Amino acid sequence: MAEAIEFEKINKYFPGVHVLKDISFSIHPGEAHALLGENGAGKSTLLNILHGIYTEYEGKVKLFGNEVHFKNPNDAIINGKISKVHQETNVVKDISVGENVALGHEPSKAGFVNRKRLNQEVDEILEQLGCRFRSETKAGALSAGEMQMMAIAKALYYDSKIISLDEPTASLSIKETENLFKVIGELKKRGITILYVSHRLEEIFQICDRATILRDGDFITTLKVAETDRRSLIRSMVGRDVDALASRTNPCMATEEVVLKVENYSGEKFHHVSFELHRGEILGFSGLVGAGRTELMRAVCGIDPKRGGRLYLNGKEMHFRNSRDALKHGIGILPEDRKTQGFLNLSTNIDNMAISSLQKYLTGIFVDSGKKRKNCEKYIQELAIHPPKADILTANMSGGNQQKVIIGRWLSTDVEVLIFDEPTKGVDVGARVEIYRLIEEFAQAGGAVIVISSDMPEVLGISDRVIVMCEGNKTGEIEREMFSEELAMEYAIGGK
């Protein structure tokens, strides 16, 4: 039987960069195949070739033994029966689920959309996937996990034989992730081939049969997942031994000095939350998706309004009107949604790193571009940003390297409190270690850090103390000597 997918000597060039170098490997029909590698390894580029997004490349792509060369993603979906479920699902929120699924390919009757048939066909697929929502549900009412299921329903509506999933669990709750894995198991039983991209290695061991690893645009190896272990995967991905779990390399540096004090803070999605942050401390905020942690920190930084409560910075009560005001007083936040909130899409790394600290680059009344470049090049080296180019658009880089640019931007400022919201979301294991190191170095230098993370081992590994939230309420506070995933989860589901 022919392979579901075969890549033969795939080469892809961008201006000045050889992104993919003679990539050759194959994927069996009906298997879940992981595509692994650090940010910048070439995973997204290879997927974009497969799905017809990039049409200029060298080499051959074969599906079930036949060479294909798609003109665009729609060509891949309709003629190749191959669909992609994106990390950030594209949804038209003001129309129904059925209309989203069939968009542009609705069944017709006498020249009009046959809504009865459309809803019936989509509902059959949603039933197969075990979805509670139905075709007539408004798409805007769905959770992140339900939107992922809707994207899979769309792939099945087009009778796709191959489905690729790019970081599908990045925004999902534990329950939604479990449901997704059940669906993937069912799709495999039906002979559908799954191409799975994730930086969460535990997921690879749960659902994948084999894994192909890329590094710096080169094919490294294809492994049977059942016959390998976590350390071997990581070594193949980064070319060295790296502990993927967050762990402290230095002891706690927290002092008695309270830098930030929040009293009885309330907003739309959080209620009467109080906490203190000490100089030199790394304070973790844990909880399940929807616990209200992000909303709390956005209110602390003046981005969203609060309904009540007080905030003190170095003993002085503050009233921030917006994030610029918070930054002026020494508080910076790295948002979870980096693509829309973290950087300017049409700006280079130089400008994105300098945008929050322009005063530092003035010579007289003019901005000194040489100073900005020097600052950028410093953090490109320190953060191992790839490709190591100051002049390229940040939007054209991989997600993990975009995250590093945003971190470089805040490290360029003189803030004394840094809030990291999901700092390693979509970031490879090598970059994670660098980010953890930078967080520690910032605290050691006398800064104070808040880390919001849905990754329990991460928040317990990097923090000096952890506050746990559930449904907008602070349900627990755990000192480092008492850290355990069981206790944190107990608080996260509402236990006291």
Side-chain angles (χ1 to χ4, degrees):
M1 187 177 181
E3 297 283 36
I5 307 170
E6 290 176 81
F7 296 106
E8 293 184 5
K9 291 190 174 297
I10 301 294
N11 283 273
K12 175 64 181 173
Y13 299 85
F14 291 125
V17 186
H18 192 175
V19 185
L20 295 176
K21 309 160 191 173
D22 278 338
I23 300 294
S24 298
F25 68 94
S26 59
I27 296 171
H28 303 330
E31 78 168 335
H33 194 107
L35 188 58
L36 303 178
E38 294 190 88
N39 293 111
K43 306 184 302 293
S44 296
T45 303
L46 190 62
L47 282 184
N48 287 339
I49 287 172
L50 178 65
H51 288 281
I53 297 168
Y54 295 151
T55 57
E56 298 294 323
Y57 59 90
E58 297 173 5
K60 294 180 181 179
V61 177
K62 293 182 179 179
L63 299 184
F64 301 101
N66 299 312
E67 185 176 350
V68 295
H69 200 116
F70 301 121
K71 298 188 291 290
N72 52 54
N74 195 53
D75 184 23
I77 293 168
I78 303 304
N79 298 313
K81 301 298 180 186
I82 174 167
S83 297
K84 184 177 184 182
V85 177
H86 295 268
Q87 178 181 346
E88 287 143 0
T89 312
N90 295 319
V91 176
V92 183
K93 294 186 177 181
D94 293 329
I95 62 176
S96 72
V97 167
E99 289 167 323
N100 266 282
V101 167
L103 197 60
H105 299 274
E106 299 86 352
S108 61
K109 185 176 182 181
F112 296 95
V113 173
N114 187 339
R115 294 194 178 277
K116 183 178 179 182
R117 184 179 155 200
L118 184 154
N119 289 333
Q120 185 179 348
E121 289 177 355
V122 173
D123 278 338
E124 285 176 11
I125 295 170
L126 296 174
E127 184 72 36
Q128 292 168 19
L129 294 176
C131 299
R132 293 181 182 176
F133 60 93
R134 285 297 174 257
S135 178
E136 293 186 66
T137 304
K138 194 170 182 179
L142 303 184
S143 69
E146 289 170 334
M147 286 182 185
Q148 291 280 15
M149 290 300 178
M150 184 176 74
I152 293 173
K154 188 168 189 169
L156 297 180
Y157 182 82
Y158 292 117
D159 194 29
S160 294
K161 306 299 182 192
I162 298 168
I163 301 174
S164 71
L165 298 104
D166 186 5
E167 297 286 352
T169 63
S171 302
L172 303 191
S173 67
I174 293 171
K175 185 66 177 173
E176 287 173 332
T177 298
E178 289 173 358
N179 290 340
L180 176 65
F181 290 172
K182 283 180 189 172
V183 167
I184 289 173
E186 290 300 317
L187 294 177
K188 283 169 60 180
K189 288 179 187 174
R190 291 163 59 177
I192 292 171
T193 304
I194 304 294
L195 191 50
Y196 195 87
V197 178
S198 177
H199 291 302
R200 296 179 176 178
L201 295 188
E202 64 276 9
E203 296 179 1
I204 305 306
F205 287 98
Q206 279 182 267
I207 62 169
C208 291
D209 303 296
R210 293 192 303 153
T212 291
I213 295 164
L214 305 181
R215 189 196 313 147
D216 295 329
D218 289 305
F219 168 82
I220 301 301
T221 187
T222 295
L223 301 165
K224 287 185 178 178
V225 172
E227 296 175 4
T228 191
D229 58 26
R230 185 188 190 93
R231 185 164 291 277
S232 298
L233 278 183
I234 294 170
R235 192 183 303 118
S236 297
M237 288 167 66
V238 302
R240 61 189 188 278
D241 281 320
V242 172
D243 189 348
L245 295 176
S247 59
R248 295 294 292 273
T249 56
N250 294 300
C252 173
M253 298 295 290
T255 67
E256 293 296 317
E257 182 186 352
V258 176
V259 178
L260 181 69
K261 184 177 181 180
V262 172
E263 279 186 354
N264 216 26
Y265 244 52
S266 293
E268 186 180 350
K269 295 188 177 180
F270 54 92
H271 322 291
H272 308 293
V273 179
S274 298
F275 67 90
E276 292 182 349
L277 174 67
H278 295 256
R279 188 168 302 283
E281 182 179 30
I282 301 172
L283 175 62
F285 267 76
S286 185
L288 303 178
V289 172
R293 299 159 301 165
T294 294
E295 292 80 4
L296 170 64
M297 293 307 160
R298 284 175 61 86
V300 164
C301 293
I303 300 169
D304 294 340
K306 64 179 175 69
R307 291 178 175 172
R310 292 183 171 184
L311 182 147
Y312 300 88
L313 187 63
N314 294 316
K316 182 180 178 183
E317 186 171 0
M318 309 299 292
H319 302 278
F320 299 134
R321 298 183 299 276
N322 49 49
S323 59
R324 270 197 317 276
D325 198 13
L327 174 61
K328 189 172 73 176
H329 288 89
I331 301 180
I333 183 168
L334 285 85
E336 177 184 7
D337 188 354
R338 58 177 170 254
K339 287 192 185 299
T340 59
Q341 301 168 12
F343 61 86
L344 303 174
N345 277 311
L346 298 178
S347 292
T348 64
N349 289 338
I350 292 175
D351 289 327
N352 271 311
M353 282 201 200
I355 193 68
S356 297
S357 52
L358 287 174
Q359 289 292 118
K360 288 175 65 173
Y361 314 109
L362 293 179
T363 298
I365 60 170
F366 299 103
V367 174
D368 187 328
S369 57
K371 287 182 181 178
K372 288 203 305 183
R373 174 179 288 277
K374 192 173 180 181
N375 175 74
C376 182
E377 289 173 346
K378 172 190 172 186
Y379 286 109
I380 281 175
Q381 186 173 0
E382 277 197 23
L383 300 170
I385 292 172
H386 183 81
K389 297 187 176 183
D391 292 307
I392 68 170
L393 292 179
T394 307
N396 289 343
M397 303 175 76
S398 66
N401 283 294
Q402 290 172 350
Q403 184 78 319
K404 291 183 190 179
V405 170
I406 300 165
I407 291 173
R409 166 188 167 189
W410 289 112
L411 293 176
S412 301
T413 67
D414 296 319
V415 294
E416 58 178 333
V417 175
L418 259 183
I419 301 169
F420 291 81
D421 194 353
E422 303 290 355
T424 62
K425 179 180 175 181
V427 171
D428 61 68
V429 288
R432 282 182 178 217
V433 172
E434 289 159 10
I435 290 170
Y436 299 146
R437 174 180 62 80
L438 287 161
I439 289 172
E440 280 200 82
E441 285 180 358
F442 182 80
Q444 276 198 304
V449 182
I450 291 173
V451 175
I452 305 168
S453 179
S454 301
D455 185 334
M456 197 77 78
E458 174 173 86
V459 78
L460 294 176
I462 195 66
S463 304
D464 297 313
R465 183 166 53 99
V466 170
I467 288 170
V468 189
M469 292 181 65
C470 175
E471 296 180 354
N473 297 296
K474 174 183 169 182
T475 50
E477 186 169 325
I478 314 173
E479 299 295 334
R480 190 167 182 85
E481 58 269 19
M482 295 293 292
F483 279 2
S484 76
E485 288 195 42
E486 292 78 10
L487 180 58
M489 185 54 70
E490 173 91 14
Y491 288 137
I493 58 177
K496 288 282 186 184

